[in-house]
Amino acid sequence: KDIVRFLKTLDSLLIDPFEIEIIGGAAAALAFRSTENTVDIDTTEGLDVLERILDATRTLSGVDIPMGRAGVWDGPCNYQKRRKRAKIKGLKRLKVYTPDLYDWALMKVMRFRDRDRTHIREAHRKIGFKKNILIRRFLSEMSYVCSNIVEVVYNFVQMVNMLFGVAEAKRVLKVIMRHKKWKSYLTAEFTPFIGPQEPCATRLWR
């Protein structure tokens, strides 16, 4: 509710149309009905041109939340083709976009900290990730990220472990290490620890 109130206030202060792309926890709140707390509104682009308007938005909305470009982010190479426009009633000039469920999740593997894990677990409980879609998109679109590729693979394998269990995580690791787009980045000695994690109760959204 705070994020929606903030965005509606921002919209009321704009003179010209403006488009933003929101990722992270704020995107989950807007697109996937997440109830987990988020401490900021991360965007894919800088918002320096809105600096004074954002200050006024915080004052008028009563929501003192940072909003700006995420410090570390990347995602599937074609994610923009699948992004969704957030359904926020009453916006006139502000267009708000969020990644689709699977692109949003794969953006989380860039860091995969405790808060990211919490958001992923909640999305899996509420909506449910289809294993084949998540794995196929990682294999086909995440080898282009501008980051430590070994860390990205490690984080993804841990995500699969968390969502689908140890056996599936081990299978996926083998697939990645044999895949034509990925095997050149990894050595045969790359063996991340894969152990049991708290399972997620899942239902698929239809």
Side-chain angles (χ1 to χ4, degrees):
K1 292 182 179 180
D2 285 348
I3 293 174
V4 170
R5 183 162 75 249
F6 185 92
L7 294 174
K8 284 185 173 182
T9 304
L10 173 59
D11 174 76
S12 71
L13 295 175
L14 292 173
I15 297 174
D16 299 312
F18 198 85
E19 182 178 303
I20 59 173
E21 196 170 68
I22 293 177
I23 58 178
L30 291 172
F32 317 131
R33 308 188 306 280
S34 171
T35 57
E36 293 291 337
N37 290 332
T38 185
V39 297
D40 51 23
I41 301 175
D42 286 333
T43 61
T44 56
E45 300 292 339
L47 299 177
D48 292 346
V49 296
L50 295 182
E51 184 176 356
R52 297 176 73 175
I53 294 177
L54 288 173
D55 286 340
T57 300
R58 293 184 188 97
T59 300
L60 292 173
S61 67
V63 180
D64 188 10
I65 188 169
M67 180 177 181
R69 191 180 191 277
V72 177
W73 81 274
D74 209 336
C77 58
N78 294 317
Y79 85 90
Q80 283 194 315
K81 295 179 180 179
R82 295 180 292 262
R83 67 181 188 171
K84 311 291 185 182
R85 188 168 177 181
K87 296 178 181 179
I88 303 174
K89 292 182 179 180
L91 296 188
K92 296 179 180 178
R93 298 178 181 86
L94 185 64
K95 291 183 178 180
V96 180
Y97 293 91
T98 62
D100 91 337
L101 175 66
Y102 295 90
D103 293 329
W104 169 82
L106 291 174
M107 289 176 182
K108 292 285 188 180
V109 305
M110 302 306 299
R111 293 189 294 180
F112 207 47
R113 295 177 177 173
D114 288 345
R115 188 172 65 181
D116 299 315
R117 293 169 187 264
T118 299
H119 286 149
I120 292 292
R121 282 193 180 100
E122 187 193 27
H124 193 51
R125 285 194 301 267
K126 286 190 170 183
I127 303 175
F129 292 100
K130 292 184 178 179
K131 179 173 57 180
N132 291 341
I133 296 176
L134 187 67
I135 294 169
R136 184 169 62 247
R137 194 167 299 177
F138 177 85
L139 291 171
S140 63
E141 296 191 30
M142 287 293 284
S143 61
Y144 307 95
V145 297
C146 301
S147 187
N148 183 335
I149 204 74
V150 173
E151 183 178 355
V152 168
V153 171
Y154 174 84
N155 289 343
F156 180 68
V157 171
Q158 297 304 326
M159 180 186 290
V160 173
N161 183 16
M162 183 180 75
L163 297 177
F164 306 114
V166 174
E168 184 61 21
K170 290 181 177 180
R171 186 194 71 82
V172 166
L173 178 59
K174 290 179 180 178
V175 170
I176 293 172
M177 294 186 73
R178 292 196 300 263
H179 196 278
K180 61 183 180 180
K181 287 186 178 181
W182 290 91
K183 62 183 180 181
S184 62
Y185 296 116
L186 307 172
T187 67
E189 291 76 28
F190 179 67
T191 53
F193 171 76
I194 304 174
Q197 296 194 27
E198 180 184 350
C200 296
T202 310
R203 71 176 179 84
L204 293 178
W205 179 260
R206 299 191 185 280

